[in-house]
Amino acid sequence: MTRAVLFSGGEDYTDPWHPFAETSAVIADVLRAAGFRVLTVMDVGEVGVVLQDDDLLVVNAGGGQQAHPKDDELLAVLAGHSGGILAFHVAATLLPSSTSWEQRLGGRWIRGRTMHPARGDVRLIRDADVDDEDLPAIIDTVDEAYSWLRVGSAARVMYRHDYAGEMHPVVWTNVDSGVRAAYCALGHDVEAFDSPAVRALVASLARWAATPDGPDPGPSGAAQARAIA
């Protein structure tokens, strides 16, 4: 059984807008249901101690768009981890003074450009280039619709949402130097995960990121998502 080390905001990395403890608890439940053993950690130093190469590192933490006093410590943890990564929501703002996180993740929040409208109904639309009928064509949830994230050309965009006449990437996968990473912009609060289709998508992303030679997100969890969407 694969272990997931969930780095949650709440101690070292936090902000006044996101209930990290609550959303991390939901993410942990989804991962356990998908067959992972989950260890939740809120201290960067502890992550560096417990994280092993074959663990899935799940990042649900933030701290604003300014450099954080523990950024160098977090960068060292990431540099030493050769396993998969699954990141959520405000994790796209982490490590603003380094290019390595964006390269690893496949994209990031750009200060002065990226934004989100007020929290509300969000419809995720499967990207036209994703030729996989096991993925639901549409997923509806309630969240902040992150818009104008910067996404690298090597990333595989899976879902977008429509805002201000543009289609904005919000879920993607990326492979950097043979290491897999998946990003899901959902997760402002627990309501974002209420949809069974969202939970199934998260499970599929986790399985993909944790399996170096596994299939793209789809079959297993995503098939379930389509059935109940």
Side-chain angles (χ1 to χ4, degrees), residues 46-210:
E46 187 178 353
V47 175
V49 170
V50 303
L51 188 64
Q52 301 174 4
D53 283 346
D54 56 350
D55 289 334
L56 173 67
L57 175 60
V58 182
V59 183
N60 181 44
Q65 299 170 48
Q66 303 293 334
H68 189 281
K70 291 201 172 184
D71 277 358
D72 287 344
E73 190 173 354
L74 179 57
L75 280 167
V77 169
L78 293 169
H81 180 54
S82 59
I85 291 175
L86 172 60
F88 290 91
H89 199 58
V90 75
T93 68
L94 288 173
L95 305 168
S97 300
S98 172
T99 60
S100 62
W101 178 236
E102 179 177 1
Q103 180 177 341
R104 187 80 170 265
L105 195 61
R108 71 168 300 112
W109 177 290
I110 303 300
R111 187 178 184 187
R113 175 168 173 77
T114 310
M115 53 77 69
H116 63 77
R119 176 183 174 276
D121 294 338
V122 179
R123 170 161 287 187
L124 305 186
I125 302 171
R126 190 181 67 209
D127 198 78
D129 293 334
V130 178
D131 185 18
D132 190 340
E133 293 185 357
D134 285 328
L135 291 169
I138 293 175
I139 297 177
D140 289 314
T141 187
V142 176
D143 209 328
E144 295 175 336
Y146 276 16
S147 305
W148 290 289
L149 291 160
R150 184 166 69 194
V151 182
S153 59
R156 181 194 185 206
V157 176
M158 297 175 62
Y159 284 93
R160 305 175 192 260
H161 76 92
D162 186 356
Y163 177 68
E166 294 187 32
M167 298 299 293
H168 301 271
V170 287
V171 178
W172 66 77
T173 60
N174 187 63
V175 180
D176 176 53
S177 299
V179 178
R180 292 185 173 198
Y183 174 73
C184 178
L186 300 177
H188 175 74
D189 56 30
V190 296
E191 191 173 2
F193 300 100
D194 279 353
S195 164
V198 170
R199 290 175 176 243
L201 175 63
V202 169
S204 289
L205 291 171
R207 292 189 186 102
W208 177 85

Side-chain angles (χ1 to χ4, degrees), residues 1-9 20-21 24-25 27-33 35-52 54-60 81 86:
M1 182 182 292
T2 303
R3 188 176 72 160
V5 175
L6 199 170
F7 175 44
S8 173
F20 291 113
S24 290
I27 291 169
D29 286 344
V30 173
L31 295 175
R32 291 188 184 99
F36 290 84
R37 292 181 294 115
V38 182
L39 173 63
T40 300
V41 180
M42 292 186 289
D43 179 88
V44 175
E46 187 178 353
V47 175
V49 170
V50 303
L51 188 64
Q52 301 174 4
D54 56 350
D55 289 334
L56 173 67
L57 175 60
V58 182
V59 183
N60 181 44
H81 180 54
L86 172 60

